[in-house]
Amino acid sequence: MDFSLSNEQRSWQMLARKFADEEIRPISLACDAIPTARETFDWEIIKKGSKLGLRTMAVPKKYGGLETDFVSQALVMTELAKADSAISKAFSQNWKWSHLISAACTEEQKERFLKPFVADDTFVLGKGITEPGAGSDNRLPPDDDSKPGLKLKAERHGDEWILNGEKAFIANAPIGKLFFIDARTDPTVPLKQGITMFLVPSDTPGFRIGKVFNKSGWRFYQNGEMIFENARVPHANIVGGVNGAVSKTGGEGGDTTGGDLFGDLELCANALGICDDGCQSALRYAKTAQQGGQALFAQQHVQLKLNRMFMMTEALRSFVMRVAWEHDQKIHSYNAGLAMNYSTDVVQDVTELYMDIRGAEGRYMDHHTDKLVRDSFIWSHLAGDSVSRMKVTRRIN
Amino acid sequence: MDFSLSNEQRSWQMLARKFADEEIRPISLACDAIPTARETFDWEIIKKGSKLGLRTMAVPKKYGGLETDFVSQALVMTELAKADSAISKAFSQNWKWSHLISAACTEEQKERFLKPFVADDTFVLGKGITEPGAGSDNRLPPDDDSKPGLKLKAERHGDEWILNGEKAFIANAPIGKLFFIDARTDPTVPLKQGITMFLVPSDTPGFRIGKVFNKSGWRFYQNGEMIFENARVPHANIVGGVNGAVSKTGGEGGDTTGGDLFGDLELCANALGICDDGCQSALRYAKTAQQGGQALFAQQHVQLKLNRMFMMTEALRSFVMRVAWEHDQKIHSYNAGLAMNYSTDVVQDVTELYMDIRGAEGRYMDHHTDKLVRDSFIWSHLAGDSVSRMKVTRRIN
Amino acid sequence: MYNLHLSAEQLEIRDTVRDFVTREIKPVALKAERLDVCDRRLPMQLLDQASQMGLRTLALSEDRGGAGSDHLTCCIVTEELAAGDADIAATLMTTSWLGHLLFDRAMTDAQRERFLPKFAADDRFHLAFAGHEVETDTRLGVNYHRPVTTEAVVKTTAVKAANGEWVINGVKDYVVNAPIAALFAVLVKVPGQSSVKVLLVPADAPGLSVSAHEKPWQHGSSGDVTFKDCRVPAGNLLGDEAAELLAGVDAPGEGVPLFQALALGVGRAAYDAAVDYAHLRVQGGRPLIEHQAIGTKLAEVAIKLEVARATIWQAAWASDHPAAVADRSLPDLPLQMIAQIFTSEMMAKATKDAAEIFGAMGVMRDMPLQKYIHDARVCQHSGNGNSDAKLRLAEVIAGYRRPTNEAMAIAGE
Amino acid sequence: MYNLHLSAEQLEIRDTVRDFVTREIKPVALKAERLDVCDRRLPMQLLDQASQMGLRTLALSEDRGGAGSDHLTCCIVTEELAAGDADIAATLMTTSWLGHLLFDRAMTDAQRERFLPKFAADDRFHLAFAGHEVETDTRLGVNYHRPVTTEAVVKTTAVKAANGEWVINGVKDYVVNAPIAALFAVLVKVPGQSSVKVLLVPADAPGLSVSAHEKPWQHGSSGDVTFKDCRVPAGNLLGDEAAELLAGVDAPGEGVPLFQALALGVGRAAYDAAVDYAHLRVQGGRPLIEHQAIGTKLAEVAIKLEVARATIWQAAWASDHPAAVADRSLPDLPLQMIAQIFTSEMMAKATKDAAEIFGAMGVMRDMPLQKYIHDARVCQHSGNGNSDAKLRLAEVIAGYRRPTNEAMAIAGE
């Protein structure tokens, strides 16, 4: 048992903290306040972070990346999220899919895609699964019915596949250069056995981006529509074989350290950053804001709220670090999923308690407080809905 | 970051698990069912455990103990509590006060008390703080008022001190051989500066045990009244100097690894054992009990309850192990207190969810389920009431 | 017109019962031996006194010697009694309610002539409904929103003997009041007939035996009732509608929220005790109630009680006034079920919060708070539990109508 | 006698308003640009239509041209309106309620003659109460159970000029309806007099200026009102009791739970949307509502709505019928405050639960669910918040009576 950090982990944490303090926090509220969803993104912060390695830290050294361990990745996500959860996610989203490239792509594909990814500070990755009519059906498809789930169709024509259909709510869609796209290649079998994953560059003919979704929280982080109209993808861009998507993305029983399961760690480590921000902001506020001539902190009801905030946050930190370590040890467990579910409850409870402590100040709610609460709600949908929870429960046995 | 256990830690865990499975679980429900509070205790289990080192594992090697680290202690408490929370506490209560002896007693006192403690399988320790009129006032005394808090009076007469007063709800009182007793030695100053700690053997003249409290949970674990009527204690039995009790027991700013602060770890590690029992029992039940021709586990509402149970339990485990490690590193933090507060919420939530899943079976509630819920309620008073929470919050700064 | 004034009679009976609870019930209920859930015998003498006050025959119509109280009044009285002792409340409300159903609504004149005089005259004449049977699974569970019906199965049979008597064989469990009942209403199946029937069976009928439950997870006394060639006269059969009438006694839905009022009474007892203690106990030089943390906790408990009471009263009145649903003054939802889920969850939390205020005294088995917690838990976890009730409510919300058994049979042909 | 039937008028107006919401308000309220909380201008045309239906003058007595609706009816209407659009509900209920207080209760005949015709005739004649002032701390907080009074301080002064006119100087903030009000009731201090007074100030009075709030954490429109040597005729002073009468508009307690009904309407809008969506959206081959997890969640939301409504209606009726507390039909507790704490906490949870059912659509700023969540949060966190309300409730529970300012002054001498 050892909760201490290695020098390397510690230095990643420090680097991220400095970057968060000096670069992210100063722009966070301004980006959040931009009314048009398509305009919230800021390439400058991505480029600056990329130069520090924050875009490519999950890429193996042999491909020019920094090959950090999962503990370092968790620490960095938390530190960045402490300044802005959506910007943290904009970086870590790239690690998620660079894990997938490492785990699932052929050497030839790595050569073709990882190298340019590493070389270009504005090369951003994404993955398209969800469709307008298929969200949770992809995550928890019924075993006995082939109809539910994604519909985007891919048909082979010689050395190419022709893709037709739509994806919705796809992270980084409006800004990404390369996407993993799940498509139906066998509509007659249950979802898990009939989908194939394609590597689709953004300049693929027949492929374009539709609207950018106008989210309430995570404003900086872009989610968009993808439209495939006879989009042509070379056969060489198939990841893991025809009808073999699920086994490569870390679904049930697959690789538990890359792809989807990194997503569990990602969400809970990010939530931890929001919680840290919430706790520290609340404590600072309680120590400085006055009521009746005393600091708010003197009041029992404020102490009890702070207690709950710190208590849940430290429980979450303990859980997140354990999960990160388990990932590094390649331990298969349901803990990553549980920690992700848990982070939903914690991040919402903590930020709402912070809002409680502040209350409306005069006629307005503090913008930063409101942002934390809005950002936290994203977890309801990504990490804490009943499908997410049932899916994790079914791993327990 | 390393969540793995050393060989020694692992072997303590295995030893405790075996003892819990083979010796504790078979007697747990029978002890719980004994109607008379004074008769629930079983010396046989204490003797058996003592021979394995479970009574003396916190005593330094130089005094004949096993000098285990806090991680091992946490593991053992959890394993024992998995079979019976109250029996686990009956063992760990001795570690709590042997920590205190190590941390606060003089060599001469250690010679006089630790050696016989180690030698005798039925030598059990306790500490008397709470009084009929002073519970939380001792834990969170006001700074500006000397009256609140314990009243038991000690006055010096030559080489002896004469103690008069009463203690209430004192753990191990009815069965202990040696007690630490906090007494007022200066009633004119605030509590923290005016109390002295005495070592009081059970055969001290003028000292006797009153009633045994009839608790709803933790039936095995005995709490009793202590009555001091001109009880005479030698001056040599003072721990840490006259009016110096608080600085030695790990109160605010004191030693954070012995005494009271071990109590924080103790409660959360014990709660974790109950949670493990609850989770495993619930999962087993959900997989075997049928409804409408299917295992309960097939139902979404059962899956969601199990998810919450495991999620909170694994968050707690992560937190407990981190706190144990911090104790071993002699890291001062508010985490032990937060983990203790947290364990209250978790242990009650988990056991109540288990009760939800089971429901009343016909006309009765399953005895084991009911016991887990009753045992868990003890935390409301020891670990999760508002005084406990505010006390911890005030450590955060 | 919407009006929340209680009638003079309602206010008076509430005062009378509250006074009885304070003077007579509390001194007995607060004795250590009665608080200990391990050994809770019914205080028969208090039940006798309550009967003399008319509480055993509260719902029975005035014509027949009862108080003729409406549903709301019965709930008000139940809350008051339960604030004193949940077992007394459960016993009285069971007899009172069954008294109304049987004597006012189910019996023929001839039956009433035979049984009413004894019921009216004897303070110990309690009633019980023996409906539930061993190993009957009435949970909705996996059949949520599925056409499979989840209904109680009646295996106890009543066969007509040559001399016209009914011969009953079978076992009933969960029977509240079984150990003290003088008369049972027993749900039976008559071979060859599709609908279930109800037979009146006196406790002393040959072949009837009761095995009382020890520490049951129910309020009041309860037991299993075994019928072994138990014979009753032909005239003991109730009319065909009696089965449906009595079924509501067990299942929450649109019935009278008596057990919810009981839970509320338990919560209120805990709250009252906590408020008193918070005034008396000094911490940090000031009474507990002057601390924000304690004040806030008491406020939260008070809110739970007031909100639960509004919900229970609404459900109670609605169960007496179906026209208010018809004219859309009230929603067409199972209000008793809503009251059940809400009240039982809130009272479980309320009693725990109240107990926390008592510190170490709040964990003692022979002190009131642990009894209240236990009583509230029983309300939360007896029967099929709240998770199942929520599924039933969800079916109503969805407008799902399960095909009847007959429709299923036709579809299957 | 206890009776939950709504009157024919209540049922009718509920239907009328519900229909108006469905046909007129919803199509506007559900437009993406209005859902986006960043830019929510008041839909003046809908407010005009509502006024023509009588909703702006709902509480005004019939004699004076209003609908003369009682407190319960006002709450029913508010819920319906808020289920369509919380801002419309807030605007109308503010004008309607102030209309009743000012014209029916506070004004002299002479004042009424001057202002009523305009108020009655002009659909855009809205009212506002300018009470609160900058930097006034009205939280109980550290003064819980302490003899220190926590009262609003009025610094805005009204001085009598030589010609008899009042000259007003000061700034009011948090003023709901400020940007659209034609007439303000302004709380002022007259130097040399101990009690505060209320002056009627038309929006076009010289020296009055309004600065509208952008995205306020309140419903409806609001703004700061500055008075700079603002002059009104001598006859604009209201009677001495007006200040107390109008103070209840801001502070929850024993007043009319209009804002709680608003919160309930928001929760119901979220629930209705979720039920509809759960019928339509298919997951795993079945509509969402046929899954236990979703059914259970909807049931939990439905319970919150029904229980909150019972609590709000009780508080609404009680605020109209103090005799029901006097005769002990209802508890002597601040029922509006209980409704406030309970409803706002429950609706915050209810709207989040409803949104979760929508998956990704539930997080979009231009979709209904995020608007409902935001609206519910505003209800939860405007004013002094629930933690402070709980402390006030705790003082009532404890029976604590804070000495009046005068008593304190005497004690200090």
Side-chain angles (χ1 to χ4, degrees), chain D residues 317-338:
Chain D
W317 184 86
S319 66
D320 228 359
H321 297 84
V325 174
D327 77 7
R328 299 184 306 117
S329 295
L330 290 173
D332 190 10
L333 289 172
L335 293 175
Q336 187 201 354
M337 198 179 278
I338 288 173

PDB file of all heavy atoms in Angstrom, chain D residues 317-338:
ATOM      1  N   TRP D 317     -54.391  27.437   1.103  1.00  0.00           N
ATOM      2  CA  TRP D 317     -55.692  27.554   1.763  1.00  0.00           C
ATOM      3  C   TRP D 317     -55.531  28.127   3.172  1.00  0.00           C
ATOM      4  O   TRP D 317     -56.300  28.985   3.604  1.00  0.00           O
ATOM      5  CB  TRP D 317     -56.384  26.188   1.782  1.00  0.00           C
ATOM      6  CG  TRP D 317     -57.774  26.242   2.351  1.00  0.00           C
ATOM      7  CD1 TRP D 317     -58.923  26.535   1.686  1.00  0.00           C
ATOM      8  CD2 TRP D 317     -58.139  26.045   3.720  1.00  0.00           C
ATOM      9  NE1 TRP D 317     -59.983  26.511   2.546  1.00  0.00           N
ATOM     10  CE2 TRP D 317     -59.546  26.215   3.795  1.00  0.00           C
ATOM     11  CE3 TRP D 317     -57.417  25.724   4.877  1.00  0.00           C
ATOM     12  CZ2 TRP D 317     -60.241  26.080   4.994  1.00  0.00           C
ATOM     13  CZ3 TRP D 317     -58.106  25.598   6.075  1.00  0.00           C
ATOM     14  CH2 TRP D 317     -59.512  25.771   6.131  1.00  0.00           C
ATOM     15  N   ALA D 318     -54.502  27.660   3.863  1.00  0.00           N
ATOM     16  CA  ALA D 318     -54.285  28.125   5.235  1.00  0.00           C
ATOM     17  C   ALA D 318     -54.033  29.625   5.267  1.00  0.00           C
ATOM     18  O   ALA D 318     -54.473  30.317   6.189  1.00  0.00           O
ATOM     19  CB  ALA D 318     -53.100  27.373   5.861  1.00  0.00           C
ATOM     20  N   SER D 319     -53.343  30.144   4.258  1.00  0.00           N
ATOM     21  CA  SER D 319     -53.038  31.572   4.265  1.00  0.00           C
ATOM     22  C   SER D 319     -54.314  32.400   4.078  1.00  0.00           C
ATOM     23  O   SER D 319     -54.341  33.584   4.377  1.00  0.00           O
ATOM     24  CB  SER D 319     -52.017  31.907   3.175  1.00  0.00           C
ATOM     25  OG  SER D 319     -52.565  31.687   1.892  1.00  0.00           O
ATOM     26  N   ASP D 320     -55.346  31.771   3.597  1.00  0.00           N
ATOM     27  CA  ASP D 320     -56.646  32.437   3.405  1.00  0.00           C
ATOM     28  C   ASP D 320     -57.569  32.183   4.597  1.00  0.00           C
ATOM     29  O   ASP D 320     -58.607  32.801   4.690  1.00  0.00           O
ATOM     30  CB  ASP D 320     -57.306  31.834   2.143  1.00  0.00           C
ATOM     31  CG  ASP D 320     -57.825  32.907   1.212  1.00  0.00           C
ATOM     32  OD1 ASP D 320     -57.690  34.089   1.541  1.00  0.00           O
ATOM     33  OD2 ASP D 320     -58.331  32.545   0.134  1.00  0.00           O
ATOM     34  N   HIS D 321     -57.202  31.224   5.426  1.00  0.00           N
ATOM     35  CA  HIS D 321     -58.108  30.789   6.498  1.00  0.00           C
ATOM     36  C   HIS D 321     -57.369  30.633   7.823  1.00  0.00           C
ATOM     37  O   HIS D 321     -57.189  29.513   8.314  1.00  0.00           O
ATOM     38  CB  HIS D 321     -58.769  29.455   6.124  1.00  0.00           C
ATOM     39  CG  HIS D 321     -59.618  29.547   4.905  1.00  0.00           C
ATOM     40  ND1 HIS D 321     -59.090  29.449   3.630  1.00  0.00           N
ATOM     41  CD2 HIS D 321     -60.940  29.772   4.736  1.00  0.00           C
ATOM     42  CE1 HIS D 321     -60.071  29.578   2.733  1.00  0.00           C
ATOM     43  NE2 HIS D 321     -61.194  29.782   3.374  1.00  0.00           N
ATOM     44  N   PRO D 322     -56.956  31.748   8.407  1.00  0.00           N
ATOM     45  CA  PRO D 322     -56.212  31.659   9.678  1.00  0.00           C
ATOM     46  C   PRO D 322     -57.015  30.956  10.773  1.00  0.00           C
ATOM     47  O   PRO D 322     -56.427  30.412  11.706  1.00  0.00           O
ATOM     48  CB  PRO D 322     -55.928  33.121  10.034  1.00  0.00           C
ATOM     49  CG  PRO D 322     -56.790  33.946   9.125  1.00  0.00           C
ATOM     50  CD  PRO D 322     -57.094  33.120   7.926  1.00  0.00           C
ATOM     51  N   ALA D 323     -58.327  30.922  10.628  1.00  0.00           N
ATOM     52  CA  ALA D 323     -59.140  30.273  11.657  1.00  0.00           C
ATOM     53  C   ALA D 323     -58.818  28.786  11.780  1.00  0.00           C
ATOM     54  O   ALA D 323     -59.011  28.192  12.843  1.00  0.00           O
ATOM     55  CB  ALA D 323     -60.627  30.461  11.342  1.00  0.00           C
ATOM     56  N   ALA D 324     -58.311  28.192  10.692  1.00  0.00           N
ATOM     57  CA  ALA D 324     -58.019  26.762  10.735  1.00  0.00           C
ATOM     58  C   ALA D 324     -56.794  26.469  11.598  1.00  0.00           C
ATOM     59  O   ALA D 324     -56.626  25.354  12.104  1.00  0.00           O
ATOM     60  CB  ALA D 324     -57.809  26.214   9.320  1.00  0.00           C
ATOM     61  N   VAL D 325     -55.943  27.447  11.777  1.00  0.00           N
ATOM     62  CA  VAL D 325     -54.850  27.281  12.738  1.00  0.00           C
ATOM     63  C   VAL D 325     -55.394  27.518  14.138  1.00  0.00           C
ATOM     64  O   VAL D 325     -55.086  26.779  15.074  1.00  0.00           O
ATOM     65  CB  VAL D 325     -53.691  28.249  12.420  1.00  0.00           C
ATOM     66  CG1 VAL D 325     -52.623  28.186  13.510  1.00  0.00           C
ATOM     67  CG2 VAL D 325     -53.077  27.895  11.060  1.00  0.00           C
ATOM     68  N   ALA D 326     -56.234  28.536  14.246  1.00  0.00           N
ATOM     69  CA  ALA D 326     -56.794  28.857  15.559  1.00  0.00           C
ATOM     70  C   ALA D 326     -57.591  27.688  16.128  1.00  0.00           C
ATOM     71  O   ALA D 326     -57.498  27.390  17.320  1.00  0.00           O
ATOM     72  CB  ALA D 326     -57.682  30.099  15.445  1.00  0.00           C
ATOM     73  N   ASP D 327     -58.341  26.985  15.279  1.00  0.00           N
ATOM     74  CA  ASP D 327     -59.126  25.860  15.806  1.00  0.00           C
ATOM     75  C   ASP D 327     -58.333  24.555  15.795  1.00  0.00           C
ATOM     76  O   ASP D 327     -58.868  23.492  16.059  1.00  0.00           O
ATOM     77  CB  ASP D 327     -60.461  25.727  15.047  1.00  0.00           C
ATOM     78  CG  ASP D 327     -60.317  25.092  13.657  1.00  0.00           C
ATOM     79  OD1 ASP D 327     -59.215  24.618  13.308  1.00  0.00           O
ATOM     80  OD2 ASP D 327     -61.322  25.063  12.925  1.00  0.00           O
ATOM     81  N   ARG D 328     -57.057  24.647  15.479  1.00  0.00           N
ATOM     82  CA  ARG D 328     -56.107  23.522  15.525  1.00  0.00           C
ATOM     83  C   ARG D 328     -56.388  22.439  14.462  1.00  0.00           C
ATOM     84  O   ARG D 328     -55.929  21.307  14.599  1.00  0.00           O
ATOM     85  CB  ARG D 328     -56.039  22.914  16.928  1.00  0.00           C
ATOM     86  CG  ARG D 328     -55.555  23.964  17.956  1.00  0.00           C
ATOM     87  CD  ARG D 328     -55.383  23.385  19.333  1.00  0.00           C
ATOM     88  NE  ARG D 328     -56.605  22.734  19.754  1.00  0.00           N
ATOM     89  CZ  ARG D 328     -56.712  21.434  20.008  1.00  0.00           C
ATOM     90  NH1 ARG D 328     -55.647  20.666  19.935  1.00  0.00           N
ATOM     91  NH2 ARG D 328     -57.865  20.920  20.359  1.00  0.00           N
ATOM     92  N   SER D 329     -57.083  22.798  13.404  1.00  0.00           N
ATOM     93  CA  SER D 329     -57.180  21.868  12.274  1.00  0.00           C
ATOM     94  C   SER D 329     -55.826  21.765  11.592  1.00  0.00           C
ATOM     95  O   SER D 329     -55.448  20.722  11.058  1.00  0.00           O
ATOM     96  CB  SER D 329     -58.216  22.373  11.261  1.00  0.00           C
ATOM     97  OG  SER D 329     -59.496  22.370  11.831  1.00  0.00           O
ATOM     98  N   LEU D 330     -55.104  22.883  11.601  1.00  0.00           N
ATOM     99  CA  LEU D 330     -53.774  22.914  10.998  1.00  0.00           C
ATOM    100  C   LEU D 330     -52.763  23.327  12.063  1.00  0.00           C
ATOM    101  O   LEU D 330     -53.112  24.028  13.005  1.00  0.00           O
ATOM    102  CB  LEU D 330     -53.744  23.918   9.838  1.00  0.00           C
ATOM    103  CG  LEU D 330     -54.540  23.526   8.595  1.00  0.00           C
ATOM    104  CD1 LEU D 330     -54.558  24.672   7.597  1.00  0.00           C
ATOM    105  CD2 LEU D 330     -53.948  22.272   7.944  1.00  0.00           C
ATOM    106  N   PRO D 331     -51.526  22.883  11.899  1.00  0.00           N
ATOM    107  CA  PRO D 331     -50.511  23.199  12.914  1.00  0.00           C
ATOM    108  C   PRO D 331     -50.103  24.665  12.847  1.00  0.00           C
ATOM    109  O   PRO D 331     -50.167  25.281  11.789  1.00  0.00           O
ATOM    110  CB  PRO D 331     -49.336  22.310  12.522  1.00  0.00           C
ATOM    111  CG  PRO D 331     -49.479  22.133  11.058  1.00  0.00           C
ATOM    112  CD  PRO D 331     -50.951  22.099  10.793  1.00  0.00           C
ATOM    113  N   ASP D 332     -49.681  25.175  13.967  1.00  0.00           N
ATOM    114  CA  ASP D 332     -49.238  26.563  14.036  1.00  0.00           C
ATOM    115  C   ASP D 332     -47.768  26.634  13.619  1.00  0.00           C
ATOM    116  O   ASP D 332     -46.883  26.910  14.412  1.00  0.00           O
ATOM    117  CB  ASP D 332     -49.427  27.094  15.458  1.00  0.00           C
ATOM    118  CG  ASP D 332     -49.213  28.598  15.518  1.00  0.00           C
ATOM    119  OD1 ASP D 332     -49.109  29.227  14.448  1.00  0.00           O
ATOM    120  OD2 ASP D 332     -49.141  29.133  16.637  1.00  0.00           O
ATOM    121  N   LEU D 333     -47.538  26.332  12.361  1.00  0.00           N
ATOM    122  CA  LEU D 333     -46.182  26.347  11.812  1.00  0.00           C
ATOM    123  C   LEU D 333     -46.220  27.160  10.518  1.00  0.00           C
ATOM    124  O   LEU D 333     -47.272  27.275   9.895  1.00  0.00           O
ATOM    125  CB  LEU D 333     -45.723  24.914  11.495  1.00  0.00           C
ATOM    126  CG  LEU D 333     -45.415  24.002  12.672  1.00  0.00           C
ATOM    127  CD1 LEU D 333     -45.159  22.577  12.195  1.00  0.00           C
ATOM    128  CD2 LEU D 333     -44.215  24.506  13.467  1.00  0.00           C
ATOM    129  N   PRO D 334     -45.101  27.714  10.109  1.00  0.00           N
ATOM    130  CA  PRO D 334     -45.101  28.498   8.868  1.00  0.00           C
ATOM    131  C   PRO D 334     -45.222  27.569   7.655  1.00  0.00           C
ATOM    132  O   PRO D 334     -44.235  27.079   7.115  1.00  0.00           O
ATOM    133  CB  PRO D 334     -43.753  29.212   8.902  1.00  0.00           C
ATOM    134  CG  PRO D 334     -42.900  28.404   9.815  1.00  0.00           C
ATOM    135  CD  PRO D 334     -43.809  27.713  10.779  1.00  0.00           C
ATOM    136  N   LEU D 335     -46.455  27.328   7.257  1.00  0.00           N
ATOM    137  CA  LEU D 335     -46.700  26.313   6.227  1.00  0.00           C
ATOM    138  C   LEU D 335     -46.129  26.709   4.868  1.00  0.00           C
ATOM    139  O   LEU D 335     -45.714  25.854   4.081  1.00  0.00           O
ATOM    140  CB  LEU D 335     -48.197  26.038   6.111  1.00  0.00           C
ATOM    141  CG  LEU D 335     -48.817  25.368   7.343  1.00  0.00           C
ATOM    142  CD1 LEU D 335     -50.329  25.255   7.173  1.00  0.00           C
ATOM    143  CD2 LEU D 335     -48.202  23.997   7.585  1.00  0.00           C
ATOM    144  N   GLN D 336     -46.101  28.002   4.592  1.00  0.00           N
ATOM    145  CA  GLN D 336     -45.527  28.412   3.317  1.00  0.00           C
ATOM    146  C   GLN D 336     -44.032  28.109   3.300  1.00  0.00           C
ATOM    147  O   GLN D 336     -43.471  27.685   2.289  1.00  0.00           O
ATOM    148  CB  GLN D 336     -45.756  29.897   3.059  1.00  0.00           C
ATOM    149  CG  GLN D 336     -45.317  30.300   1.643  1.00  0.00           C
ATOM    150  CD  GLN D 336     -45.055  31.780   1.514  1.00  0.00           C
ATOM    151  OE1 GLN D 336     -45.292  32.553   2.427  1.00  0.00           O
ATOM    152  NE2 GLN D 336     -44.562  32.182   0.357  1.00  0.00           N
ATOM    153  N   MET D 337     -43.379  28.316   4.422  1.00  0.00           N
ATOM    154  CA  MET D 337     -41.941  28.041   4.504  1.00  0.00           C
ATOM    155  C   MET D 337     -41.672  26.541   4.330  1.00  0.00           C
ATOM    156  O   MET D 337     -40.718  26.139   3.671  1.00  0.00           O
ATOM    157  CB  MET D 337     -41.442  28.519   5.862  1.00  0.00           C
ATOM    158  CG  MET D 337     -39.963  28.696   5.956  1.00  0.00           C
ATOM    159  SD  MET D 337     -39.536  29.288   7.600  1.00  0.00           S
ATOM    160  CE  MET D 337     -39.846  31.037   7.417  1.00  0.00           C
ATOM    161  N   ILE D 338     -42.518  25.740   4.942  1.00  0.00           N
ATOM    162  CA  ILE D 338     -42.390  24.288   4.777  1.00  0.00           C
ATOM    163  C   ILE D 338     -42.573  23.926   3.302  1.00  0.00           C
ATOM    164  O   ILE D 338     -41.795  23.145   2.737  1.00  0.00           O
ATOM    165  CB  ILE D 338     -43.411  23.564   5.684  1.00  0.00           C
ATOM    166  CG1 ILE D 338     -42.961  23.684   7.154  1.00  0.00           C
ATOM    167  CG2 ILE D 338     -43.586  22.106   5.267  1.00  0.00           C
ATOM    168  CD1 ILE D 338     -43.961  23.160   8.160  1.00  0.00           C
TER     169      ILE D 338
END
